[in-house]
Amino acid sequence: MTLAIRRFDRGALRQSFAHIAWDTSGRVTDVVGTVVEAHLPGTSLGATVQIVVKGQADVTAEVVGFRKDKALLIPYTSLGAVAPGCAVSGLRAADRIAVGDFLLGRVVDPMLNPFQGELVLPERPLLMPLDREAPNPMLRARVAKPLPLGIRAIDSLLTFGEGQRVGIMAGSGVGKSVLMGMIARGSSADVNVIGLIGERGREVREFIERDLGPEGLARSVVVCSTGDQSPLMRIRAAKAVTAIAEGFSRQGKRVLLMMDSLTRVAMAQREIGLAVSEPPTTRGYTPSVFSLLPRLLERTGPQAQGQGSITGLYTVLVDGDDFNEPIADAARSILDGHINLDRRLAARGHFPAIAVNTSISRVMHDIVPPEHWELAMALRTLIGVYEENIDLVQIGGYQPGNNPSLDAALSLMPAIERFLKQGINERSSMDQTLVDMQAIFKGTNRGS
């Protein structure tokens, strides 16, 4: 598979977003850093404009704020030769995106430019707004049934529900992308909508070919905005992924939305906020970051009655393995659960490196049978007892027989670890997962 990143294409913008030219026109008055000041009467926040540069392609930008009587613009691409005096023409905001089965199996940028081949839109595609209000909470369906992901550690102890939103919290290099690929291939969702936001360019092809694979890509839509692109493109990618998921959900499909990573979305918004002189708060994050996150995340989840569901899975890159850093903390307060990946488990070759006792699914109790819940709690108790006492055992400070719970944990931990480990290409059904979990307590776990 050959991936060739194409330049931002105005033609594709016209085809995909069907905007109409305004009469608004103006001039660039100043350029400071990544911000362009322009005298642009009649424009509005969020409007898309074209900056005319002599001898070069026009630069597309968005109105992100105002300073007195000047509009503040940030480009979707590089500033190029933009200078004071350049003409600016206003365009209707490119605020919609085309959605349909024609996107399945494709890798596109936030403007729907394909990374490979051509993308042909139907004559009348479903157009979804990039920004919209979250569904009325009283009209939403409840999270009522499990969504098997094919990962034993998750399906058994952190069971996902259709319409649940969960964060994968981890430092760099602990296996977030690999886990996402395993879920995309093994989940029972009808459609995967995947956002690769702020990724290294090298990792895009690796994720698609190695982690996602042909099987996963066939029922997926991948929207990619690499880390070298404008912060506006990265924010647009997050909104585009959400809008595409909403479009498929409107067709009654069970959608699994995966965004890697929510932290880089927050960083992009921080770049924009600081560029327009928004005051920084915790670790430099601006107030607009903490208002963007709930607006984005609340759009996913259970949809209105009669529509499908959007199960959200968001990776959060924790700074310095600090699981209480601002974005991780804010995400946990909004989402319906979190999965922590432990670097120590990864260093021991335990993959997926899920720290089950510091992870939680807030809807699991309501969606699994009582016997499943009891097995899961028993297993979590054994893991907790083992982790609390393993240091004492290793230094020889524990005498067997003094603590029956610890004796049971030490006896069963090899079988528990085999159960929680899983190969990259291995998939486990929910029924088989429950059988294997029961077998731990019977001493007949597979491979023992």
Side-chain angles (χ1 to χ4, degrees), residues 158-395:
L158 304 164
T159 311
F160 268 40
E162 282 188 24
Q164 186 178 359
R165 302 160 305 161
V166 174
I168 298 180
M169 316 281 184
S172 57
V174 187
K176 296 186 300 299
S177 297
V178 173
L179 180 57
M180 278 182 59
M182 291 174 65
I183 292 172
R185 293 193 305 271
S187 84
S188 59
D190 299 321
V191 177
N192 301 317
V193 182
I194 303 170
L196 302 179
I197 302 171
E199 289 287 327
R200 305 174 186 89
R202 171 188 62 80
E203 292 180 330
V204 174
R205 182 171 179 176
E206 286 183 2
F207 174 79
I208 292 168
E209 296 185 357
R210 181 196 64 192
D211 300 329
L212 189 58
E215 178 187 355
L217 182 60
R219 59 191 181 104
S220 301
V221 181
V222 181
V223 179
C224 177
S225 177
T226 52
D228 60 316
Q229 292 185 311
S230 160
L232 271 181
M233 288 290 271
R234 284 174 267 154
I235 294 294
R236 188 181 186 90
K239 293 179 179 179
V241 168
T242 305
I244 291 171
E246 288 171 332
F248 282 113
S249 173
R250 180 174 290 186
Q251 299 172 8
K253 295 181 179 179
R254 298 178 303 162
V255 182
L256 178 61
L257 184 155
M258 292 182 280
M259 190 180 295
D260 186 13
S261 75
L262 192 63
T263 302
R264 293 192 175 107
V265 175
M267 289 179 174
Q269 184 62 40
R270 178 174 63 180
E271 287 181 48
I272 295 171
L274 293 175
V276 297
S277 303
E278 195 179 349
T281 57
T282 310
R283 297 199 187 182
Y285 287 104
T286 56
S288 61
V289 172
F290 299 101
S291 65
L292 171 68
L293 292 180
R295 288 203 317 272
L296 191 65
L297 299 180
E298 282 295 333
R299 289 167 59 184
T300 59
Q303 300 298 293
Q305 294 282 355
Q307 297 186 11
S309 61
I310 303 176
T311 304
L313 189 64
Y314 302 87
T315 67
V316 179
L317 182 64
V318 295
D319 187 12
D321 286 351
D322 177 9
F323 287 87
N324 293 315
E325 59 91 31
I327 301 304
D329 197 43
R332 271 197 306 269
S333 69
I334 302 167
L335 298 172
D336 307 315
H338 57 272
I339 298 172
N340 291 341
L341 301 187
D342 192 327
R343 191 177 298 278
R344 293 172 300 175
L345 289 175
R348 298 207 312 260
H350 182 121
F351 290 101
I354 298 172
V356 294
N357 270 23
T358 60
S359 305
I360 191 170
S361 168
R362 292 176 179 166
V363 305
M364 179 177 173
H365 182 270
D366 298 326
I367 62 174
V368 298
E371 56 272 18
H372 182 167
W373 176 258
E374 291 170 6
L375 275 173
M377 291 303 101
L379 202 55
R380 291 178 74 107
T381 298
L382 287 174
I383 295 171
V385 169
Y386 178 84
E387 291 179 347
E388 287 175 3
N389 295 278
I390 185 59
D391 291 340
L392 181 66
V393 172
Q394 288 177 337
I395 64 173

